[in-house]
Amino acid sequence: MTDRRGVVAKRAENLMPDVPYVRGWAQARRSAGILAEQLTALNLESDFPGLAADVNVSGDGLVRLGTIRPEAAEVLAELIVLGLAAEMKLHAVLLPQGTGTAYRNASAA
């Protein structure tokens, strides 16, 4: 299984020389840890028991959610939508109409 960018290629079961597997896996481990912290803060860690770091044949880090219940997938999707909505609202407040700067300079006001 491979997505259009080739990220979700086959798992690295047979290692090849000159592929930075450890670097990709370490990045995936950090990201999986951050996600695990957030899930724990929301009391959702038990809904993602298969959360793990992995690496593919190209050395790209992967974060595997494991097999999850449909309800857990729905909650995760809702959290993503809420986060995106909050980010859009924040950008609308911080980005005045007609300016080219990302944030309003408070000292210039």
Side-chain angles (χ1 to χ4, degrees):
M1 174 172 84
T2 303
D3 69 1
R4 59 191 159 118
R5 292 176 292 157
V7 175
V8 189
K10 291 174 62 175
R11 291 184 54 209
E13 294 172 352
N14 298 317
L15 303 182
M16 298 179 351
D18 301 323
V19 177
Y21 296 109
V22 174
R23 185 180 317 144
W25 180 83
Q27 181 182 13
R29 184 171 180 230
R30 284 189 300 275
S31 297
I34 292 168
L35 181 56
E37 288 175 10
Q38 296 303 312
L39 292 171
T40 299
L42 296 167
N43 293 320
L44 295 173
E45 70 275 8
S46 63
D47 289 320
F48 297 87
L51 179 64
D54 204 346
V55 66
N56 69 13
V57 294
S58 303
D60 300 315
L62 304 172
V63 176
R64 296 191 178 273
L65 297 179
T67 303
I68 59 174
R69 296 177 305 115
E71 296 84 5
E74 287 180 23
V75 168
L76 185 58
E78 288 173 13
L79 289 170
I80 291 169
V81 168
L82 288 172
L84 289 172
E87 185 175 329
M88 290 174 63
K89 185 175 181 180
L90 179 65
H91 284 293
V93 169
L94 296 177
L95 183 63
Q97 291 286 1
T99 65
T101 58
Y103 297 99
R104 209 182 321 186
N105 187 343
S107 63

